[in-house]
Amino acid sequence: MIDSVVSQRTEGTPQGSPLFPLLSNIVLDELDRELERRGHCFVRYADDCNIFVRSQKADERVMQTLDGFIENKLKLKINQEKSKVCTVSESKFLGYTILTNGMLTLSKQ
C-alpha cells in the first residue's frame, strides 16, 4: 500500500508470506555451512539469526568477519540497527529469551 492505495508489488517478497522463510533458508544455507565450518553455536529461522560466543572480544571478531562474508559473498545487507552484541539472557529470538541453561521463556516484550 502506498498512501492508502493498493499497488502491485514489482520486486521482493513480503514479510509474512509463506514463501519468505523458504527463500531465506535457500539463500542463507551457505551462511549456515560457514558457521558450522567455523564451529559456532547458532540458531537461525528465515532471516533471524543468533550466534553464540564466549566473550565480547570473540563477538567483535565474529561480527566483523561475518559482515564481510554476508555482504561480499552472499551480496546481502545487514541491518546494523537490529544487529547487536549481548548475553544470551538479553537476546530475543522469535518472541523467546534463551536462558543460560538452554531453556526458553517468553520475552518480556
Side-chain angles (χ1 to χ4, degrees):
M1 256 187 169
I2 301 172
D3 296 325
S4 300
V5 177
V6 176
S7 62
Q8 185 170 346
R9 176 174 298 282
T10 57
E11 63 182 30
T13 303
Q15 261 189 319
S17 162
L19 191 56
F20 183 76
L22 175 66
L23 293 175
S24 294
N25 286 336
I26 290 169
V27 170
L28 294 174
D29 181 64
E30 194 168 352
L31 173 63
D32 294 347
R33 285 187 271 133
E34 180 67 15
L35 291 170
E36 289 170 351
R37 185 185 69 75
R38 294 180 183 194
H40 293 301
C41 295
F42 68 97
V43 59
R44 186 181 64 75
Y45 176 78
D47 64 339
D48 292 323
C49 183
N50 284 353
I51 303 165
F52 305 106
V53 294
R54 296 186 190 273
S55 69
Q56 178 78 25
K57 187 175 181 177
D59 177 74
E60 292 167 2
R61 182 180 44 80
V62 169
M63 284 292 286
Q64 186 177 25
T65 59
L66 283 180
D67 279 358
F69 178 82
I70 291 169
E71 291 184 2
N72 298 327
K73 177 97 174 169
L74 301 180
K75 307 294 186 213
L76 298 172
K77 181 96 172 118
I78 295 175
N79 184 336
Q80 296 297 336
E81 292 177 11
K82 287 185 171 182
S83 299
K84 66 179 180 175
V85 176
C86 63
T87 62
V88 171
S89 61
E90 294 173 336
S91 69
K92 289 181 289 227
F93 187 71
L94 303 175
Y96 291 92
T97 297
I98 304 170
L99 303 176
T100 53
N101 65 1
M103 300 295 293
L104 296 178
T105 184
L106 290 175
S107 294
K108 292 178 184 177
Q109 296 176 335

